[in-house]
């Protein structure tokens, strides 16, 4: 465990050890989130954060959840703000109490809201925190567990671009434009098949590429041949 949360009647202290040295204050707040990441990110961006389910694969529910018959689920969700993915969370959830089975599987509350609806404060253990560069973006990730009686969650969270914590609203706006700009470039690279002819070549229907789509002398030879054939048929008739 690389986090320590302690308090007494006069002070509170949160210590994060073995985390990247260049993490900022807001990043350390996110790394120390204990089931309330969605709430914290909504506070940071001053916008709603939505949960979009990517997949959820669960074990059969043959009996009510219990320590003897646990129910497990592997799942991945995107945390989305202003149509942008601000975090990807991949989790393994183990349920051993029917109340959590109902909240999580039947009423479909996300992990953090499940703890809140059950009025439970989970035990938080930060297991790992890393920074990486992926596709030119500075990525931040953490692995941690949230646990209370009847509900255990092992979670990997990835923030795809640490610039979001520096630029805030500007990052949301700029990121929103990137897919549109990418599509324009891609469409510009795909040329119609007739533009593959090189300058100086003659296209099949007799246009010369040297001066754009101008008629080639070859067209006139075709015209003379057709006129001659027409006159010959008239003569024979």
């Amino acid at each position: 465990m690389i986090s320590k949360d302690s308090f007494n009647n006069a002070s509170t202290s949160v210590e994060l050890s073995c985390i990247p040295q260049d993490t900022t204050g807001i990043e350390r707040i996110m790394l120390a989130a204990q089931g309330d990441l969605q709430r914290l990110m909504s506070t940071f961006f001053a916008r709603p954060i939505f949960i979009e389910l990517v997949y959820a694969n669960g074990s059969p529910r043959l009996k009510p959840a219990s320590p003897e018959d646990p129910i497990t689920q592997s799942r991945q969700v995107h945390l989305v703000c202003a149509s942008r993915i601000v975090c990807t969370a991949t989790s393994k959830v183990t349920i051993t109490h029917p109340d959590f089975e109902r909240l999580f599987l039947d009423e479909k509350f996300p992990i953090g809201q499940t703890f809140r609806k059950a009025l439970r404060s989970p035990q938080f253990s930060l297991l790992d925190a890393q920074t990486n560069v992926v596709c030119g973006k500075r990525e931040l990730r953490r692995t941690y567990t949230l646990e209370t009686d009847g509900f255990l969650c092992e979670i990997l969270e990835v923030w795809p671009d640490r610039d979001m914590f520096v630029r805030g609203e500007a990052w949301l706006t700029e990121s929103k434009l990137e897919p549109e700009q990418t599509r324009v470039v891609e469409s510009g690279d795909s040329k119609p098949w007739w533009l593959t002819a090189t300058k100086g070549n003659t296209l099949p229907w007799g246009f010369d590429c040297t001066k754009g789509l101008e008629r080639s002398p070859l067209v006139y030879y075709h015209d003379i041949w057709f006129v001659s054939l027409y006159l010959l048929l008239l003569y024979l008739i």
Side-chain angles (χ1 to χ4, degrees), residues 1 14 33 55 71 90 98 108 136 139 173 201:
M1 183 173 67
V14 177
Y55 66 80
I71 297 173
T90 306
K108 300 188 182 305
E139 180 186 273
T173 304
N201 289 349

Side-chain angles (χ1 to χ4, degrees), residues 3 26 76 79 92 124 147 162 183 192 194 207:
S3 66
I26 187 63
Q76 185 176 93
L79 277 66
K92 180 182 178 182
F124 169 72
E147 182 177 10
R162 296 171 65 190
R183 283 195 293 272
W194 47 268
F207 288 92

Side-chain angles (χ1 to χ4, degrees), residues 87-140:
C87 186
T88 298
T90 306
S91 313
K92 180 182 178 182
V93 178
T94 302
I95 307 169
T96 56
H97 194 284
D99 287 348
F100 286 106
E101 179 184 0
R102 172 179 54 81
L103 290 170
F104 188 68
L105 297 179
D106 295 331
E107 300 184 18
K108 300 188 182 305
F109 282 102
I111 290 174
Q113 287 88 328
T114 297
F115 284 106
R116 294 179 68 182
K117 288 292 292 185
L119 303 178
R120 299 283 189 91
S121 296
Q123 180 180 347
F124 169 72
S125 298
L126 181 61
L127 305 178
D128 187 40
Q130 298 180 10
T131 57
N132 301 300
V133 177
V134 178
C135 297
K137 302 290 187 180
R138 299 181 308 131
E139 180 186 273
L140 177 66

Side-chain angles (χ1 to χ4, degrees), residues 1-34:
M1 183 173 67
I2 60 176
S3 66
K4 182 180 179 182
D5 189 342
S6 60
F7 67 93
N8 56 34
N9 60 354
S11 66
T12 296
S13 176
V14 177
E15 299 178 19
L16 301 176
S17 59
C18 300
I19 65 172
Q21 293 184 352
D22 64 339
T23 51
T24 64
I26 187 63
E27 289 174 338
R28 289 193 295 274
I29 290 174
M30 300 301 170
L31 290 174
Q34 303 183 16

Side-chain angles (χ1 to χ4, degrees), residues 11-209:
S11 66
T12 296
S13 176
V14 177
E15 299 178 19
L16 301 176
S17 59
C18 300
I19 65 172
Q21 293 184 352
D22 64 339
T23 51
T24 64
I26 187 63
E27 289 174 338
R28 289 193 295 274
I29 290 174
M30 300 301 170
L31 290 174
Q34 303 183 16
D36 57 350
L37 178 65
Q38 189 177 353
R39 175 175 163 274
L40 292 176
M41 297 203 71
S42 177
T43 303
F44 175 75
F45 284 115
R47 291 172 177 258
I49 303 293
F50 297 94
I51 297 291
E52 293 185 357
L53 182 66
V54 179
Y55 66 80
N57 302 317
S59 61
R61 298 173 63 183
L62 304 177
K63 298 179 180 180
S66 67
E68 294 75 25
D69 296 290
I71 297 173
T72 61
Q73 185 186 88
S74 298
R75 60 190 269 120
Q76 185 176 93
V77 299
H78 289 157
L79 277 66
V80 178
C81 182
S83 300
R84 305 303 306 168
I85 297 174
V86 296
C87 186
T88 298
T90 306
S91 313
K92 180 182 178 182
V93 178
T94 302
I95 307 169
T96 56
H97 194 284
D99 287 348
F100 286 106
E101 179 184 0
R102 172 179 54 81
L103 290 170
F104 188 68
L105 297 179
D106 295 331
E107 300 184 18
K108 300 188 182 305
F109 282 102
I111 290 174
Q113 287 88 328
T114 297
F115 284 106
R116 294 179 68 182
K117 288 292 292 185
L119 303 178
R120 299 283 189 91
S121 296
Q123 180 180 347
F124 169 72
S125 298
L126 181 61
L127 305 178
D128 187 40
Q130 298 180 10
T131 57
N132 301 300
V133 177
V134 178
C135 297
K137 302 290 187 180
R138 299 181 308 131
E139 180 186 273
L140 177 66
R141 60 173 55 204
R142 69 168 179 166
T143 305
Y144 66 102
T145 61
L146 296 173
E147 182 177 10
T148 190
D149 289 340
F151 199 50
L152 169 63
C153 307
E154 304 166 77
I155 305 171
L156 166 66
E157 288 173 344
V158 179
W159 292 268
D161 187 359
R162 296 171 65 190
D163 283 353
M164 72 175 75
F165 297 123
V166 177
R167 314 220 43 206
E169 179 72 19
W171 180 87
L172 285 177
T173 304
E174 291 175 356
S175 297
K176 208 170 184 178
L177 296 175
E178 287 177 1
E180 299 175 3
Q181 294 170 348
T182 302
R183 283 195 293 272
V184 171
V185 172
E186 290 175 351
S187 62
D189 290 339
S190 57
K191 298 180 181 179
W193 67 269
W194 47 268
L195 285 181
T196 57
T198 57
K199 185 176 181 181
N201 289 349
T202 301
L203 297 175
W205 56 85
F207 288 92
D208 190 353
C209 294

